[in-house]
Amino acid sequence: MAEVEIPDDHPRHDSLVTRHRIEAGVEKGITSQQGLIAQGRGEAFDYLLGERTLPSADAAARAAAAHLLLAERPVISVNGNAAALVPAELVELAGVVGADLEVNLFNRTDERIQAIVDHLRAHGAGEVKGREANARIPNLNHERAKVDADGIADADVVLVPLEDGDRAAALADLGKIELVIDLNPLSRSAQVADVPIVDNILRAVPAITVHARDLADAPRTDLERIVAEFDPETALADAERAIRGGELV
Ligand code: PTJ
C-alpha cells in the first residue's frame, strides 16, 4: 500500500507509514538492513503504547525543546532510520532551534553518508555535517566515534534519535546534554539521556518542533525552569509502567 493510501484513521496508521518509509529508505541506500530489525523492535514497543504519545513523553519533548533553545551549539544527529522516517521534520526542527544536522552512522560507508546528506538536502536542508569526520569520540571503538570537529565534537546539546547505547554513554561521559528519542525505556541510550523521549520518532520530532515554536520567545528563566523541572527517572518509569501494564487500544 502506498503511503498516500493509508487512511488517517487506520488503527495501525503510524506502523504502516513507518514500515513504508523504512522500506523505501533501504531501497534508496539510506537505511541499513539492520535498520529494518531496529524498526521491528521499536514497533513492538509502540504497539504496547497503543501508538500514542504519553503525557510524560510530551513533557519530555517540551524539555528537549527548551534545552535546544538554551543551547549555544545544538546538533541533531541523523542515522539511516531517522533520515528515512522524518527527513523534512528534522530539517524543520533544525531551522526552528538553530541546530546543525550531522549524519552519524553505526554501519558507516561513504555512500550511505552521501545518500543521507543528499536526502536531507532534497528535503530542504542547507549544510549537512558528517562527511569530514575529523574528530573522534573517545572510548568508542566503532564507526559512530567518527564526528565532525565543528559539529557533534563541539556541541553542547545533542539530539540523538534511535541511538545505540555505546555512543549515548560515551557522549554523556563527555558532559554533553543528551536528548534521546527511543521507544524502549530500558535501552541504555534512554537510561543515560538527560531527556529520554519514549515515543515514536514519527510523533516525537514534530512534537519537539511544536514546543520549540511555542517557547521561541520565552525568557531564558522560563526555559531553565522547564529543564530543571523535568525528571528523566519519572519519565522512564511512566513509560515502562504504560508498556508493561497498559491497555491496548
Ligand atoms: O543507520 P545506522 O547505520 O546508524 O544504524 C541505525 C540503527 C538504528 C540500525 C542502529 O543504531 C541500531 O542498531 O540501533 P539499535 O541498537 O537497534 O537501537 C535502536 C533503538 O531505537 C531501539 O531501542 C528501538 O526500540 C528504537 N526504535 C526503533 N524504531 C523506532 C525507535 N524509537 C523511536 N521511534 C522509532 N520509529
Side-chain angles (χ1 to χ4, degrees):
M1 194 190 283
E3 192 172 322
V4 284
E5 294 169 21
I6 302 168
D8 282 348
D9 61 352
H10 189 289
R12 301 260 80 83
H13 175 271
D14 284 8
S15 158
L16 294 178
V17 169
T18 307
R19 285 184 184 188
H20 175 82
R21 290 189 190 172
I22 286 284
E23 217 181 323
V26 174
E27 276 163 18
K28 284 187 195 155
I30 290 169
T31 310
S32 70
Q33 294 200 7
Q34 287 187 16
L36 294 168
I37 300 168
Q39 171 55 38
R41 184 150 55 141
E43 194 173 290
F45 288 106
D46 207 16
Y47 185 82
L48 293 170
L49 283 170
E51 290 180 16
R52 73 203 148 99
T53 299
L54 296 172
S56 56
D58 191 56
R62 192 166 179 83
H67 268 299
L68 288 165
L69 290 169
L70 284 167
E72 281 175 30
R73 295 173 308 284
V75 175
I76 300 174
S77 183
V78 184
N79 66 16
N81 286 49
L85 291 176
V86 283
E89 293 84 348
L90 289 170
V91 172
E92 188 181 355
L93 174 60
V96 170
V97 299
D100 281 335
L101 292 162
E102 177 165 339
V103 181
N104 178 274
L105 301 181
F106 184 70
N107 305 291
R108 185 186 178 101
T109 64
D110 288 343
E111 291 74 25
R112 277 187 69 220
I113 297 266
Q114 191 59 52
I116 293 172
V117 169
D118 293 345
H119 188 62
L120 292 172
R121 290 183 63 86
H123 284 84
E127 189 200 358
V128 179
K129 296 187 191 293
R131 276 174 298 194
E132 296 274 333
N134 50 356
R136 294 287 176 275
I137 301 171
N139 305 321
L140 197 57
N141 294 323
H142 57 73
E143 293 290 289
R144 290 202 98 160
K146 295 181 177 171
V147 290
D148 280 16
D150 64 351
I152 288 172
D154 191 40
D156 53 349
V157 176
V158 191
L159 173 66
V160 281
L162 280 62
E163 182 76 8
D164 60 288
D166 279 5
R167 190 179 70 140
L171 286 175
D173 287 347
L174 286 178
K176 296 184 190 298
I177 292 173
E178 220 174 334
L179 319 172
V180 166
I181 300 170
D182 193 322
L183 275 159
N184 178 5
L186 300 174
S187 81
R188 208 146 47 101
S189 27
Q191 297 273 335
V192 300
D194 295 276
V195 180
I197 307 167
V198 183
D199 202 4
N200 194 325
I201 190 173
L202 231 51
R203 300 188 295 273
V205 173
I208 301 171
T209 305
V210 166
H211 286 298
R213 285 196 203 285
D214 183 43
L215 294 171
D217 297 324
R220 278 187 82 83
T221 47
D222 284 10
L223 300 177
E224 283 160 1
R225 186 179 39 75
I226 291 169
V227 161
E229 284 175 1
F230 178 77
D231 177 23
E233 303 296 329
T234 307
L236 289 172
D238 187 63
E240 189 180 340
R241 196 168 39 242
I243 287 168
R244 287 189 191 275
E247 289 169 23
L248 287 178
V249 288

